[in-house]
Amino acid sequence: MPTVEIDGRRVEVPDGETIIQAAERLGVEIPHYCWHPGLPIAGNCRMCLVDIEKSPKLQIACNTRVTDGMVVHTTSEKTHAAQRAVLEFLLINHPIDCPVCDQAGECKLQEYYMDYDRQRSRVPLPQKVHKKKAKPIGPLVILDQERCILCSRCVRFVDEVTHTSELAFYQRGDHVDLDVAPGKVLDNKYSGNVVDICPVGALTNRDFRFHARVWYLERTPSVCGACANGCNIEIYHREGRIFRFQPRKNPDVNQYWMCDAGRMSYRDLQGEGRLQFPFLRGGAEFSRATWEGALGQVAGRLADLTRGNGAGGIGIIASAQASNEELFLLRRLASRLEAKLTGIAWSPPDADHDAFLIKADKNPNTRGLAQQGIAQGAGELLTAASRGELRALVLYRADVTHWCDEIAARAALERVPFLVVLDSHQRESVEYADAILPVATYAESDGTFTNHAGRVQRFQAAVAPPAEVRPGWQVLGGLLALVAGETSPVGAEQTFAALAEESAAFRGLSFATLGETGVASLAPS
Amino acid sequence: MAERLLLRCRDIPALRRLDVYLQNGGYEATRKALTQYTPEQLIEMVKASNLRGRGGAGFPTGMKWSFLPKQTAKPVYLAVNADESEPGTFKDREIIEDDPHQLLEGIIITAFAIRCHTAYIYIRGEFAHGAQVLEDAVAQARHAGFLGSNILGTGFDLEVWVHRGAGAYICGEETGLIESLEGKRAYPRIKPPFPATHGLFGCPTIVNNVETLACVPHIVARGADWFRGIGPEKSPGPKLFCVSGHVVRPGTYELPMGTPLREIIYTHAGGIPGGRKLKAVIPGGASMPVFTPEEIDVPMDMDSVQKAGSFLGSAGIMVMDDTVCMVWTLLVLERFFHHESCGQCTPCREGTGWLEKVLRRLEYGDGSGTPRDVDLLLNIAGNMMGTTICALSDAAAMPTRAFVTKYRAEFEQHATRGRCPFRPAPEPARAHG
């Protein structure tokens, strides 16, 4: 384990670690473009040249292994001169696109220019090399060849991570073009990642193009809910509107990447199709209710049914879209109501999946259902309902007509005397409901999901729920209070704490221990 | 040493034919090497000869061979660098076209020494004729049992493949060459690791220049001591010097290492025609710093030239008389490097383009030049040196620094005037489009 001294501070590192990695441990930034911890080393940008004692020439920090006793200076005049030189070289042909370039505000050329350069240009504008601009190269990605600094991160990504090799360099010298291979389109399932790793605005997201200046956006750490992988993400938002998802590093789940389907899934979370207000049915019509009124009605009817007939009258179907906290409160509710709680985790039969990140299970919390012992028996429950065996049915984030046998489901929904639908989006089941209670998405409340591998991960509220939508834990807590007169934990964190206390699968966990990257939990099922 | 060895082909017509070659003692050195020496002994012999690479870098050949791993499960490859692209250099071409079997002998002996059974001759695409000559020579040698299985009954197997390049100078860089052989873009690799441990297909590989390998049979035939005794001890042997430019007799001359540059220019190449005066001479190919007329008493061996501030390089001696504009000449050189830069690293990719632009406006004037352009050239070159993956950046920077430093007045005249003060020579086309 060699020890290296960087800018006067020592650190011991594992064998084989490079200077740039050692510097990261010390929190020392060595500016770089082509290096990326998730990609093979290229060493071509030359931005990370550093001054090593006893070495006559500067060496690149990304590819120089630390040896014991090595002394490195990242802020010496020699290093600064090299950084300024490389930046000047990069800027010679770089177009002055900042005012129209999406990358502004998260551009490494801008950042390093401000931090390490700030010199005036010595090349007349008309002499810059010109290449193709604004060229769409795939469904999600648009290319500007002039802005490209030829760091080769994107080429290495499609070669070594997705093994699809759509991108390559053509021609030579300062006329090298980054482009798609002849006849190819950048349409692999992870194409959006090249936008994340492009240090400049050469590869940008077509969906996000011109939508917002990034310095106005807030970032909230979360997890993607589009499948059971639970890729860690950041939700970029402003004033209640979500603009994009980007992957967040988690070495144990998704490394640095996420799939395009997950990346684009933010669009389903907002906009039309959301349930906005509590509704109660009066005859054939729905009328908007207050939360007080709606909760009162629902709790009242359910409690009546329980008192009236004992066990077996009430069914609750909870889907694998519900969070662990919501499932915990649903279990309590089921217990107080002596209701049968069953689960459903549906995915399209031909659901896309691969050996990398994409899981066929398109639900974020299937394992969470199993961890709390909720069996998947929605089909049987609906059959019972259609036979008239249920007095009430509560659907929690469960789109049963779509996920189960349509005819049977509709029959069940028609037949059951009291139907409560709690969901974020409009479902067909809403048409049969007696009460509709809108609950928030995972982008609008806190909570946890357990991914396919049993890893419990937090998601955090990025935007406020729209209209009069409320977080699920709040609605369920309200019902519990009215049904059983009990006080539930307030907030997702306290609910999780209660869950951890009672459940072996979550023993010892808390929001604090989950941190930002989650924890592998104990025996799942 | 008055006899020609490397250029025997000039004294013996049709030496490229195997029957003629055999009649003139051909393949005796190969027989001697394969039957009387072990591979290790041959490596020691070449080390003792002090043979240094003739491709441009001048690295001791025996030492390079000894960097191969002693034990390896991987095949060892030999890549012959026949990419000869350094401007001013045309020596390898003559060996290839007129004495290919000499090269093949060098290949066979070297392959035997380094325990290699597959050799590739990477020949620049433009040498169509040379490639054909080599293919024929390989076929003849194979037919006669000098290549293939059980060569000369020694049990040694060797196949030689001729691989044509497609017109890039950077394929002459040893790791660029290897990348190209692997079917990829010729982007030089970061070193270390060196080809001796991680080369072609990730296997131990030796890359040697044509002239270097052509010396090997002679070392075997006459001994390491003989070789080391020609010219200075640390940089010995017969050497091919390519003389071009303003001389009466341009061409390649085989002379002992250490022959003074003045002698090469004035005695062997006949001096400057038309009674003109020498203005500048590049000693070792376009990449090497230029010498002024005051500097031509330097012995042409690797260490002496280095001491004098340049490099013997590929021994491409380019002679310029006093009608030549130094700015125009540097523009021609930098245009070449701009055209040939592979584009992988920032300083070279952008710097070569920038140098060409500045020089072009100094020479032909486009209104954007300023007196600061002269120092700008030095500044750009300074930022290009020692900061890149391969030496092309240094190759572009060194001539810039040498020309501007040694002929500064001429550059400043151009800068002040805004264009060339002499009658300007025709403008070379831009490097890219």
Side-chain angles (χ1 to χ4, degrees):
Chain A
M1 299 261 299
T3 300
V4 60
E5 183 182 308
I6 303 179
D7 297 343
R9 292 156 60 203
R10 296 220 180 95
V11 64
E12 196 182 355
V13 302
D15 266 332
E17 195 153 289
T18 59
I19 296 176
I20 206 169
Q21 291 169 314
E24 237 180 3
R25 289 179 189 270
L26 288 170
V28 171
E29 182 194 46
I30 297 180
H32 58 277
Y33 292 108
C34 67
W35 181 68
H36 187 284
L39 299 171
I41 296 171
N44 59 51
C45 73
R46 316 311 286 182
M47 190 66 206
C48 70
L49 287 165
V50 289
D51 196 355
I52 306 177
E53 272 181 30
K54 297 198 203 128
S55 177
K57 295 202 299 193
L58 299 178
Q59 301 294 337
I60 49 176
C62 65
N63 195 46
T64 305
R65 299 212 172 149
V66 162
T67 55
D68 197 41
M70 185 185 266
V71 180
V72 181
H73 301 287
T74 74
T75 57
S76 67
E77 190 41 49
K78 264 171 88 173
T79 308
H80 278 150
Q83 290 164 342
R84 280 196 298 268
V86 170
L87 280 165
E88 179 169 42
F89 281 133
L90 286 172
L91 289 166
I92 295 178
N93 287 311
H94 194 79
I96 318 283
D97 276 0
C98 299
V100 298
C101 175
D102 273 345
Q103 199 82 3
E106 51 185 12
C107 171
K108 286 304 186 187
L109 211 50
Q110 277 185 343
E111 272 182 46
Y112 294 156
Y113 174 80
M114 294 307 290
D115 290 340
Y116 301 100
D117 188 5
R118 296 204 196 199
Q119 308 198 94
R120 298 188 69 110
S121 170
R122 297 193 283 179
V123 172
L125 216 50
Q127 292 183 9
K128 286 178 180 280
V129 171
H130 292 298
K131 301 176 183 174
K132 293 191 209 118
K133 300 179 78 68
K135 177 184 177 189
I137 54 173
L140 205 54
V141 182
I142 184 167
L143 165 67
D144 187 309
Q145 290 178 334
E146 280 183 4
R147 297 176 189 171
C148 175
I149 57 170
L150 302 169
C151 73
S152 76
R153 275 182 172 189
C154 57
V155 177
R156 282 176 279 143
F157 178 80
V158 297
D159 281 348
E160 306 294 339
V161 178
T162 61
H163 307 289
T164 47
S165 296
E166 295 101 330
L167 297 169
F169 288 142
Y170 300 90
Q171 308 305 328
R172 220 161 52 200
D174 59 7
H175 280 61
V176 166
D177 290 330
L178 171 73
D179 213 337
V180 275
K184 279 206 183 195
V185 167
L186 181 61
D187 59 358
N188 68 65
K189 295 184 212 153
Y190 298 88
S191 69
N193 290 295
V194 302
V195 173
D196 300 332
I197 59 179
C198 179
V200 297
L203 293 169
T204 51
N205 187 320
R206 293 177 71 181
D207 172 70
F208 180 68
R209 189 172 173 79
F210 298 154
H211 281 185
R213 278 315 200 179
V214 298
W215 53 83
Y216 290 128
L217 301 179
E218 315 258 356
R219 298 147 71 148
T220 303
S222 187
V223 288
C224 171
C227 85
N229 202 61
C231 294
N232 287 201
I233 60 174
E234 276 189 320
I235 301 180
Y236 282 74
H237 56 95
R238 178 188 183 192
E239 291 171 11
R241 175 181 162 187
I242 300 174
F243 282 84
R244 66 179 184 190
F245 281 175
Q246 278 197 344
R248 184 165 55 89
K249 174 185 168 186
N250 187 327
D252 297 306
V253 181
N254 56 309
Q255 294 82 56
Y256 305 92
W257 322 117
M258 76 185 297
C259 75
D260 289 354
R263 186 184 292 270
M264 295 304 289
S265 68
Y266 82 90
R267 295 165 71 142
D268 300 328
L269 295 176
Q270 297 187 308
E272 297 182 10
R274 287 296 299 272
L275 292 172
Q276 304 207 348
F277 303 101
F279 276 93
L280 290 172
R281 181 190 288 277
E285 301 289 305
F286 280 106
S287 55
R288 209 173 121 177
T290 62
W291 271 105
E292 218 178 65
L295 286 175
Q297 266 273 27
V298 171
R301 280 294 292 272
L302 290 175
D304 282 344
L305 287 168
T306 311
R307 266 176 250 120
N309 257 341
I314 304 176
I316 306 179
I317 299 179
S319 82
Q321 309 260 326
S323 68
N324 291 320
E325 294 75 13
E326 291 168 354
L327 293 175
F328 173 72
L329 292 172
L330 282 165
R331 280 170 48 225
R332 277 209 181 161
L333 190 63
S335 158
R336 304 298 172 263
L337 293 174
E338 294 178 49
K340 174 143 173 66
L341 171 62
T342 187
I344 181 168
W346 180 86
S347 300
D350 53 349
D352 197 21
H353 60 283
D354 67 15
F356 188 28
L357 299 177
I358 304 174
K359 298 295 173 283
D361 181 0
K362 299 303 176 192
N363 299 283
N365 204 26
T366 307
R367 281 288 275 255
L369 277 178
Q371 283 179 316
Q372 295 196 54
I374 303 171
Q376 292 188 33
E380 289 93 68
L381 202 62
L382 287 172
T383 308
S386 63
R387 283 202 228 109
E389 293 167 26
L390 284 188
R391 316 295 239 17
L393 179 61
V394 177
L395 297 178
Y396 195 85
R397 302 190 193 271
D399 190 4
V400 292
T401 56
H402 187 197
W403 297 348
C404 306
D405 179 84
E406 255 188 306
I407 315 286
R410 286 192 195 125
L413 299 180
E414 285 244 21
R415 189 86 192 260
V416 81
F418 187 61
L419 176 64
V420 184
V421 171
L422 297 100
D423 214 316
S424 53
H425 288 69
Q426 305 248 12
R427 313 286 183 201
E428 189 188 327
S429 46
V430 150
E431 294 168 33
Y432 302 86
D434 295 290
I436 303 166
L437 303 177
V439 286
T441 66
Y442 67 86
E444 298 156 1
S445 72
D446 289 353
T448 60
F449 290 138
T450 306
N451 81 349
H452 72 104
R455 188 179 196 82
V456 182
Q457 304 187 111
R458 284 186 62 194
F459 55 85
Q460 297 184 45
V463 294
E468 290 185 24
V469 178
R470 288 186 176 181
W473 59 262
Q474 191 181 359
V475 176
L476 293 172
L479 283 176
L480 265 168
L482 292 170
V483 158
E486 72 182 51
T487 330
S488 302
V490 175
E493 181 163 12
Q494 296 211 21
T495 311
F496 187 79
L499 170 60
E501 216 166 303
E502 142 227 284
S503 162
F506 298 91
R507 181 85 17 93
L509 299 179
S510 68
F511 272 25
T513 59
L514 291 181
E516 304 234 305
T517 49
V519 171
S521 64
L522 303 170
S525 41
Chain B
M1 181 207 117
E3 61 168 329
R4 283 194 278 243
L5 282 182
L6 298 170
L7 292 182
R8 257 191 344 154
C9 52
R10 293 190 185 172
D11 305 314
I12 307 168
L15 194 57
R16 72 180 71 80
R17 281 172 39 186
L18 181 58
D19 53 339
V20 175
Y21 191 74
L22 287 170
Q23 277 161 26
N24 285 277
Y27 285 96
E28 284 310 309
T30 302
R31 188 181 303 279
K32 183 177 177 190
L34 266 51
T35 57
Q36 294 180 24
Y37 294 93
T38 65
E40 290 70 32
Q41 286 170 334
L42 286 167
I43 296 181
E44 287 311 306
M45 186 195 299
V46 169
K47 265 188 176 168
S49 74
N50 284 351
L51 169 65
R52 288 169 68 168
R54 268 96 159 107
F59 195 85
T61 306
M63 191 185 297
K64 188 192 260 192
W65 293 359
S66 72
F67 288 157
L68 288 165
K70 298 290 173 276
Q71 305 261 44
T72 175
K74 296 180 177 172
V76 175
Y77 291 105
L78 173 65
V80 180
N81 194 337
D83 192 59
E84 187 163 68
S85 301
E86 185 71 29
T89 318
F90 31 85
K91 57 188 175 69
D92 297 339
R93 179 179 190 171
E94 195 165 346
I95 297 174
I96 289 167
E97 292 179 355
D98 296 333
D99 198 353
H101 289 286
Q102 179 185 211
L103 173 60
L104 285 180
E105 281 208 78
I107 293 173
I108 298 165
I109 297 169
T110 301
F112 180 72
I114 64 175
R115 301 181 188 274
C116 150
H117 303 288
T118 308
Y120 297 93
I121 303 175
Y122 189 101
I123 181 167
R124 66 179 292 176
E126 293 88 341
F127 283 176
H129 176 58
Q132 188 61 62
V133 170
L134 281 175
E135 298 261 19
D136 292 343
V138 167
Q140 290 171 20
R142 227 176 163 275
H143 187 73
F146 297 114
L147 288 172
S149 315
N150 195 18
I151 297 171
L152 298 176
T154 61
F156 176 59
D157 303 336
L158 175 65
E159 292 296 346
V160 175
W161 302 93
V162 177
H163 180 99
R164 293 182 64 191
Y169 169 68
I170 196 64
C171 290
E173 203 279 347
E174 64 175 0
T175 56
L177 187 155
I178 290 174
E179 288 282 297
S180 179
L181 265 178
E182 291 184 6
K184 295 146 49 184
R185 284 168 67 84
Y187 273 4
R189 299 175 176 174
I190 304 177
K191 294 180 274 198
F194 291 89
T197 52
H198 293 80
L200 188 57
F201 310 123
C203 300
T205 305
I206 293 295
V207 184
N208 275 142
N209 170 264
V210 165
E211 187 190 347
T212 310
L213 291 169
C215 288
V216 171
H218 303 292
I219 294 172
V220 171
R222 301 176 187 218
D225 290 342
W226 160 83
F227 190 86
R228 205 175 54 248
I230 300 172
E233 185 161 1
K234 293 252 167 60
S235 167
K239 181 76 188 81
L240 299 181
F241 297 97
C242 311
V243 188
S244 63
H246 294 136
V247 287
V248 173
R249 289 186 295 276
T252 305
Y253 292 88
E254 181 173 346
L255 299 163
M257 272 279 206
T259 306
L261 182 56
R262 182 185 295 280
E263 182 186 316
I264 297 177
I265 297 172
Y266 287 101
T267 309
H268 299 282
I272 322 276
R276 303 217 127 88
K277 300 236 288 278
L278 178 68
K279 183 169 182 183
V281 53
I282 297 174
S287 316
M288 306 311 173
V290 65
F291 280 148
T292 62
E294 293 74 39
E295 298 176 294
I296 66 169
D297 288 299
V298 57
M300 290 293 271
D301 65 81
M302 293 172 180
D303 299 313
S304 303
V305 179
Q306 189 169 354
K307 230 170 100 186
S310 185
F311 299 93
L312 184 59
S314 63
I317 300 167
M318 308 204 280
V319 180
M320 288 162 267
D321 71 18
D322 53 10
T323 62
V324 166
C325 169
M326 297 312 288
V327 177
W328 181 88
T329 306
L330 186 59
L331 167 61
V332 171
L333 292 176
E334 295 305 328
R335 179 206 170 279
F336 171 77
F337 291 115
H338 179 205
H339 191 246
E340 297 294 338
S341 168
C342 76
Q344 192 180 189
C345 345
T346 308
C348 176
R349 176 181 73 239
E350 309 292 346
T352 52
W354 197 2
L355 284 174
E356 185 190 343
K357 289 189 171 108
V358 176
L359 286 163
R360 197 173 282 278
R361 71 174 180 242
L362 270 177
E363 179 67 5
Y364 295 102
D366 65 1
S368 69
T370 84
R372 285 194 300 275
D373 281 350
V374 181
D375 281 323
L376 178 59
L377 287 172
L378 290 175
N379 187 232
I380 298 170
N383 286 334
M384 288 171 70
M385 291 221 43
T387 55
T388 52
I389 294 178
C390 88
L392 194 149
S393 192
D394 306 285
M398 287 193 294
T400 303
R401 285 164 79 150
F403 271 62
V404 172
T405 311
K406 295 185 182 181
Y407 298 89
R408 185 159 184 127
E410 201 165 321
F411 279 82
E412 290 195 338
Q413 248 189 316
H414 281 69
T416 320
R417 193 160 174 271
R419 55 198 297 277
C420 185
F422 317 124
R423 190 191 61 194
E427 180 169 2
R430 278 158 209 290
H432 288 282

